[in-house]
Amino acid sequence: MEFFSSHSIIQRKETHFRNKGTLMSTLLQDATKDPLIQVVVITGDGEYFSSGSDLLGSSSQSHEERMKGFTDFVHTLIHFPKLLIAAVNGPAIGIGCTILPLCDFVYASS
């Protein structure tokens, strides 16, 4: 996540987190606590905003672990108190498409 004076950008990249839903929830919760951040932009890295289940965790996790990460992520999005923007830089497949209505503003590239 990149922090600027009044906003942050969460860019989905490969990470050491086993469950990217958990990672996204953690980053959003951190942004909620930071009084300097007023706006958060979520975007992808490369040609895709989301390629589907990439936010749900690895296949080595149990179904319960994957669903908890997903549920926590969606709950965090629904209750996020600051302006949330999705900068859709390509196809938004699966959960990437599902979260778009939970954002305050969606900007999509062609």
Side-chain angles (χ1 to χ4, degrees):
M1 177 160 46
E2 300 173 41
F3 288 96
F4 299 92
S5 60
S6 63
H7 66 282
S8 70
I9 298 175
I10 296 175
Q11 189 172 45
R12 179 195 52 77
K13 295 183 178 186
E14 291 306 313
T15 173
H16 67 280
F17 274 71
R18 289 184 62 201
N19 187 310
K20 293 184 186 103
T22 301
L23 167 64
M24 296 292 285
S25 295
T26 300
L27 293 173
L28 289 169
Q29 290 164 6
D30 289 348
T32 297
K33 296 172 189 171
D34 188 332
L36 296 177
I37 296 175
Q38 300 300 311
V39 177
V40 171
V41 179
I42 298 174
T43 190
D45 181 34
E47 297 180 18
Y48 287 83
F49 177 73
S50 172
S51 60
S53 64
D54 58 341
L55 290 177
L56 294 180
S58 69
S59 59
S60 65
Q61 292 179 292
S62 70
H63 176 73
E64 290 77 19
E65 286 178 302
R66 289 192 309 269
M67 288 298 98
K68 178 168 180 4
F70 170 74
T71 303
D72 291 347
F73 177 47
V74 171
H75 183 268
T76 301
L77 286 172
I78 289 170
H79 297 286
F80 191 67
K82 299 181 181 186
L83 184 63
L84 185 61
I85 298 172
V88 183
N89 60 314
I93 300 169
I95 185 63
C97 183
T98 303
I99 68 169
L100 296 179
L102 302 176
C103 296
D104 299 302
F105 183 80
V106 176
Y107 177 79
S109 64
S110 59

